[in-house]
Amino acid sequence: MYKRMLLCVTEATPQEIIQVATKLCSKETEVCVLHIVHLLTDFTQKEVSKEFAWIIDLFKKAELKCSLKVIESTDIGRAIISAAKKNSCDVIVIGTIFRKGLFGFFSESISDYVVKNAPCTVVLIRKAGQLA
Amino acid sequence: MLIFIATIFLVFKHPTVRIPFTSKYLRIDYGLAPIVGVIILFATLSIGIDTITRGVIGSAGVKPYSVLILIISLSYICVSLDFTGFFEYLSLHVARASRNSGKRLFVYFFLLASFLTLFTNNDIVILTMTLIIFYVCKNAGINPIPFLLAQFFAVNILGMALYIGNPTNIVAADAYGLSFVEFAKWMFLPSVLAAASCLLLIWLVFRRRIPSKFKTPEIGPRLALKNRTGALFGSIVLACTIIFMSLPTSWIGVPIWAIALFFAIVMFLHDVVSYRSSIPAISSRIPWKIVPFLMGFFIIVESLASTGWTDLFASQLSKISGSLITTIFSIGFLASLAAGVMNNHPMTIFFVKAFQSPYFTAHQTARLGSTVALIAGSNFGANFTLMGALAGLMWAKILSDKGHSISFSEFSKYGFLIMPFVLTVACLTLVMELVIWA
């Protein structure tokens, strides 16, 4: 099992992804829930803590060590990779949304960037039927 | 021409390619794509050193290096001010001032986006305000899409008002030789009237989706302010930059880009003294990629000019540029639609080059009319499709990450519903201005 997990979350992250992440953990796993913001102020810190309290609660219910980390960056992919390296994570768990149409064709995929540049194992999760 | 089209495709698609014989990947993003295009043109002997030199140093009014210094300097001042939390602080104040009225909130957000765009750039307004709109709407249980669309439309309409509102304004104005004040003289009124008509239309479209009452969340704007002194200093520097840029060059004796560069250095020195550790964070927010992006397109369009493509386009433009009214309307609409397909930056550079061609045979007033119509088209084009401006894709991506996706077709549905009327208002105002003042 993994020792240090980096779980990347956004406001669009569904509960299913958190449930899969908990299944990948053992009692020794330290989970770092990562959210990236454009600007980190007291206001955003407070709002993000409130927004993702449900994720922390889910991990606590599963009796797992978990902490929320908010990072300020405009390059999300690079920020995820650097956070994984800095925390010596051995797995990155990230959700992915299948985007349809022209937007899907032209929009940049952060999960794709993470898969190609991560220094460790990457677990990519897509909720069944989740389309954008 | 094929390389030009392929480069535009790469700008949007930004593919990741594996570097041969390594495990490294290279992302051909919007900064790298035009450089790849230039390398291919050079390697196939389609262009020579002289074309590249003309693309960098410029010809006939447009000096790409001065445009880029100006854009980067202004971006630094705005990014540094944004880093203090000032724009977030203003947005929260505005949200609080709406006092439980959904209608008031909708209008206030539109006006704030318009106001901020006048003095900063659209990327910063979009990044800052989108977050606040999500926060307020989520806490109040309101659908954020009407508010977000209104914000995006406002940003791209008011970006036309001042010389500094959009990099495309600088390219088009420099090519014609419009100063800061002359630019505002022609463009301010059309953009204000266009914004008013847009607000009216967007209100009519979304009025049933905006609640009259909502519960205002507890908001503490001060929490958003990271550095109060820095915000005050940054506001003063930005105000001074705009004031000095608006003074005639003959009074100051230095070009406009030098003024922006001077104030950017002042801001940088302040940042070094105030928060040295944050300099890399501020620096990473500056749109550095716009340098190779614009430079690459200047060179590619220069090569199109040397092979006669811009002359061919200019002769076609001359055919539709009969009277002043047909010139403004045809170029305004053509530029908007072209920007919607090929992005406003390459479109503007291509049109500017065509206007400079000897085959563009419009009379003096019609030439000015073509330039102002091009400026309108390059700004408004971003509201027709998500591909109209680089900010469009960034905005749609933020929405998707927050769980509120908007497809290309849905965005264009609103764009084509609202913008033709808004563009008509702007073009009519431009015609009236030119008839009265030119």
Side-chain angles (χ1 to χ4, degrees), chain B residues 371-394:
Chain B
T371 304
V372 291
L374 170 64
I375 293 166
S378 72
N379 283 275
F380 290 9
N383 287 349
F384 278 94
T385 72
L386 281 174
M387 288 159 84
L390 292 169
L393 284 174
M394 179 188 79

Side-chain angles (χ1 to χ4, degrees), chain A residues 38 40 51 72 99 108, chain B residues 27 138 226 285 400:
Chain A
H38 157 65
L40 184 56
E51 177 80 42
E72 179 181 67
R99 295 189 173 97
E108 207 167 354
Chain B
R27 190 166 48 165
K138 188 171 182 175
K226 266 180 168 179
R285 286 156 191 264
S400 170

Side-chain angles (χ1 to χ4, degrees), chain A residues 48-62:
Chain A
V48 168
S49 305
K50 213 160 69 180
E51 177 80 42
F52 298 111
W54 67 274
I55 296 177
I56 306 295
D57 288 347
L58 272 180
F59 278 106
K60 282 190 178 156
K61 264 184 201 165

Side-chain angles (χ1 to χ4, degrees), chain A residues 10-13 35 37-44 46-47 50-51 72-76 78 97 99 102-110 112-113 116-117 132, chain B residues 9 12-14 16 25 27 82-83 85 88 92 127-128 131-132 135 138-139 220 223-224 226 281 284-285 386-387 393 396-397 400-403 405-408:
Chain A
T10 71
E11 287 83 351
T13 303
H35 181 66
V37 293
H38 157 65
L39 196 67
L40 184 56
T41 59
D42 291 344
F43 167 73
T44 37
K46 196 177 135 193
E47 284 310 308
K50 213 160 69 180
E51 177 80 42
E72 179 181 67
S73 177
T74 46
D75 190 338
I76 298 171
R78 207 169 278 180
I97 301 171
R99 295 189 173 97
L102 272 176
F103 183 49
F105 185 71
F106 285 120
S107 70
E108 207 167 354
S109 166
I110 292 164
D112 183 51
Y113 178 86
K116 284 173 178 156
N117 295 279
Chain B
F9 177 76
F12 289 119
K13 181 64 185 150
H14 37 74
T16 306
Y25 288 87
R27 190 166 48 165
D82 179 39
F83 199 72
E88 212 162 275
L92 285 173
L127 278 170
T128 308
L131 182 89
I132 303 297
Y135 160 72
K138 188 171 182 175
N139 282 288
L223 286 176
K226 266 180 168 179
S284 70
R285 286 156 191 264
L386 281 174
M387 288 159 84
L393 284 174
K397 182 76 174 57
S400 170
D401 287 344
K402 300 221 177 260
S405 277
I406 185 157
S407 66
F408 268 55

